[in-house]
PDB file of all heavy atoms in Angstrom:
ATOM      1  N   LEU N 534     -11.501  13.071  25.376  1.00 96.00           N
ATOM      2  CA  LEU N 534     -10.687  13.651  26.331  1.00 96.00           C
ATOM      3  C   LEU N 534     -11.398  14.014  27.564  1.00 96.00           C
ATOM      4  O   LEU N 534     -10.927  13.872  28.708  1.00 96.00           O
ATOM      5  CB  LEU N 534      -9.795  14.798  25.745  1.00 96.00           C
ATOM      6  CG  LEU N 534      -8.849  14.527  24.595  1.00 96.00           C
ATOM      7  CD1 LEU N 534      -8.381  15.754  23.944  1.00 96.00           C
ATOM      8  CD2 LEU N 534      -7.668  13.677  25.076  1.00 96.00           C
ATOM      9  N   ARG N 535     -12.612  14.580  27.326  1.00 96.00           N
ATOM     10  CA  ARG N 535     -13.363  14.924  28.583  1.00 96.00           C
ATOM     11  C   ARG N 535     -13.746  13.737  29.324  1.00 96.00           C
ATOM     12  O   ARG N 535     -13.686  13.731  30.592  1.00 96.00           O
ATOM     13  CB  ARG N 535     -14.663  15.644  28.147  1.00 96.00           C
ATOM     14  CG  ARG N 535     -15.512  16.297  29.186  1.00 96.00           C
ATOM     15  CD  ARG N 535     -16.842  16.779  28.859  1.00 96.00           C
ATOM     16  NE  ARG N 535     -17.728  15.721  28.261  1.00 96.00           N
ATOM     17  CZ  ARG N 535     -18.854  15.957  27.804  1.00 96.00           C
ATOM     18  NH1 ARG N 535     -19.417  17.085  27.662  1.00 96.00           N
ATOM     19  NH2 ARG N 535     -19.578  14.892  27.310  1.00 96.00           N
ATOM     20  N   ASP N 536     -14.142  12.717  28.757  1.00 95.00           N
ATOM     21  CA  ASP N 536     -14.449  11.424  29.396  1.00 95.00           C
ATOM     22  C   ASP N 536     -13.385  10.828  30.122  1.00 95.00           C
ATOM     23  O   ASP N 536     -13.529  10.198  31.257  1.00 95.00           O
ATOM     24  CB  ASP N 536     -15.210  10.450  28.461  1.00 95.00           C
ATOM     25  CG  ASP N 536     -16.405  10.877  27.854  1.00 95.00           C
ATOM     26  OD1 ASP N 536     -17.072  11.780  28.409  1.00 95.00           O
ATOM     27  OD2 ASP N 536     -16.804  10.231  26.761  1.00 95.00           O
ATOM     28  N   GLU N 537     -12.134  11.173  29.663  1.00 95.00           N
ATOM     29  CA  GLU N 537     -10.831  10.604  30.362  1.00 95.00           C
ATOM     30  C   GLU N 537     -10.381  11.602  31.173  1.00 95.00           C
ATOM     31  O   GLU N 537      -9.197  11.420  31.564  1.00 95.00           O
ATOM     32  CB  GLU N 537      -9.844  10.224  29.159  1.00 95.00           C
ATOM     33  CG  GLU N 537     -10.319   9.092  28.326  1.00 95.00           C
ATOM     34  CD  GLU N 537      -9.493   8.931  27.024  1.00 95.00           C
ATOM     35  OE1 GLU N 537      -8.562   9.859  26.822  1.00 95.00           O
ATOM     36  OE2 GLU N 537      -9.726   7.959  26.221  1.00 95.00           O
ATOM     37  N   LYS N 538     -11.001  12.803  31.508  1.00 95.00           N
ATOM     38  CA  LYS N 538     -10.790  13.801  32.445  1.00 95.00           C
ATOM     39  C   LYS N 538      -9.428  14.487  32.008  1.00 95.00           C
ATOM     40  O   LYS N 538      -8.587  14.898  32.790  1.00 95.00           O
ATOM     41  CB  LYS N 538     -10.586  13.264  33.885  1.00 95.00           C
ATOM     42  CG  LYS N 538     -11.961  12.663  34.273  1.00 95.00           C
ATOM     43  CD  LYS N 538     -11.883  12.372  35.743  1.00 95.00           C
ATOM     44  CE  LYS N 538     -13.222  11.600  36.155  1.00 95.00           C
ATOM     45  NZ  LYS N 538     -14.414  12.306  35.771  1.00 95.00           N
ATOM     46  N   ARG N 539      -9.237  14.659  30.534  1.00 96.00           N
ATOM     47  CA  ARG N 539      -8.004  15.341  30.087  1.00 96.00           C
ATOM     48  C   ARG N 539      -8.387  16.677  29.571  1.00 96.00           C
ATOM     49  O   ARG N 539      -7.503  17.337  29.010  1.00 96.00           O
ATOM     50  CB  ARG N 539      -7.285  14.384  29.101  1.00 96.00           C
ATOM     51  CG  ARG N 539      -6.875  13.112  29.621  1.00 96.00           C
ATOM     52  CD  ARG N 539      -6.586  11.970  28.589  1.00 96.00           C
ATOM     53  NE  ARG N 539      -5.459  12.456  27.719  1.00 96.00           N
ATOM     54  CZ  ARG N 539      -5.100  11.910  26.645  1.00 96.00           C
ATOM     55  NH1 ARG N 539      -5.999  10.854  26.132  1.00 96.00           N
ATOM     56  NH2 ARG N 539      -4.145  12.437  25.852  1.00 96.00           N
ATOM     57  N   ALA N 540      -9.626  16.965  29.367  1.00 95.00           N
ATOM     58  CA  ALA N 540     -10.195  18.266  29.030  1.00 95.00           C
ATOM     59  C   ALA N 540     -11.574  18.651  29.511  1.00 95.00           C
ATOM     60  O   ALA N 540     -12.237  17.727  30.027  1.00 95.00           O
ATOM     61  CB  ALA N 540     -10.244  18.255  27.382  1.00 95.00           C
ATOM     62  N   THR N 541     -11.722  19.914  29.668  1.00 95.00           N
ATOM     63  CA  THR N 541     -13.112  20.333  30.163  1.00 95.00           C
ATOM     64  C   THR N 541     -13.719  21.338  29.149  1.00 95.00           C
ATOM     65  O   THR N 541     -12.995  21.998  28.360  1.00 95.00           O
ATOM     66  CB  THR N 541     -12.890  20.994  31.571  1.00 95.00           C
ATOM     67  OG1 THR N 541     -12.081  22.154  31.311  1.00 95.00           O
ATOM     68  CG2 THR N 541     -12.299  20.021  32.546  1.00 95.00           C
ATOM     69  N   LEU N 542     -15.051  21.437  29.266  1.00 94.00           N
ATOM     70  CA  LEU N 542     -15.788  22.359  28.397  1.00 94.00           C
ATOM     71  C   LEU N 542     -16.611  23.387  29.166  1.00 94.00           C
ATOM     72  O   LEU N 542     -17.249  23.060  30.150  1.00 94.00           O
ATOM     73  CB  LEU N 542     -16.851  21.513  27.555  1.00 94.00           C
ATOM     74  CG  LEU N 542     -17.842  22.384  26.673  1.00 94.00           C
ATOM     75  CD1 LEU N 542     -17.142  23.192  25.703  1.00 94.00           C
ATOM     76  CD2 LEU N 542     -18.802  21.380  26.073  1.00 94.00           C
ATOM     77  N   ASP N 543     -16.334  24.614  28.950  1.00 92.00           N
ATOM     78  CA  ASP N 543     -17.065  25.645  29.651  1.00 92.00           C
ATOM     79  C   ASP N 543     -18.282  25.877  28.713  1.00 92.00           C
ATOM     80  O   ASP N 543     -18.305  26.500  27.629  1.00 92.00           O
ATOM     81  CB  ASP N 543     -16.290  26.982  29.652  1.00 92.00           C
ATOM     82  CG  ASP N 543     -16.938  28.117  30.393  1.00 92.00           C
ATOM     83  OD1 ASP N 543     -18.222  28.119  30.452  1.00 92.00           O
ATOM     84  OD2 ASP N 543     -16.228  29.030  30.998  1.00 92.00           O
ATOM     85  N   GLU N 544     -19.526  25.376  29.354  1.00 89.00           N
ATOM     86  CA  GLU N 544     -20.700  25.402  28.581  1.00 89.00           C
ATOM     87  C   GLU N 544     -21.152  26.826  28.070  1.00 89.00           C
ATOM     88  O   GLU N 544     -21.753  27.070  27.004  1.00 89.00           O
ATOM     89  CB  GLU N 544     -21.814  24.777  29.370  1.00 89.00           C
ATOM     90  CG  GLU N 544     -21.599  23.368  29.698  1.00 89.00           C
ATOM     91  CD  GLU N 544     -21.849  22.438  28.657  1.00 89.00           C
ATOM     92  OE1 GLU N 544     -22.287  22.850  27.540  1.00 89.00           O
ATOM     93  OE2 GLU N 544     -21.588  21.195  28.738  1.00 89.00           O
ATOM     94  N   ARG N 545     -20.816  27.802  29.047  1.00 90.00           N
ATOM     95  CA  ARG N 545     -21.231  29.243  28.771  1.00 90.00           C
ATOM     96  C   ARG N 545     -20.501  29.851  27.578  1.00 90.00           C
ATOM     97  O   ARG N 545     -21.064  30.608  26.686  1.00 90.00           O
ATOM     98  CB  ARG N 545     -21.069  30.073  29.898  1.00 90.00           C
ATOM     99  CG  ARG N 545     -22.035  29.669  31.078  1.00 90.00           C
ATOM    100  CD  ARG N 545     -21.728  30.482  32.324  1.00 90.00           C
ATOM    101  NE  ARG N 545     -20.458  30.141  32.807  1.00 90.00           N
ATOM    102  CZ  ARG N 545     -19.733  30.723  33.948  1.00 90.00           C
ATOM    103  NH1 ARG N 545     -20.483  31.612  34.559  1.00 90.00           N
ATOM    104  NH2 ARG N 545     -18.636  30.354  34.262  1.00 90.00           N
TER     105      ARG N 545
END
Side-chain angles (χ1 to χ4, degrees):
L534 292 171
R535 185 189 65 181
D536 292 345
E537 296 168 352
K538 302 189 185 309
R539 299 165 62 194
T541 60
L542 172 63
D543 184 330
E544 301 281 359
R545 292 173 299 177

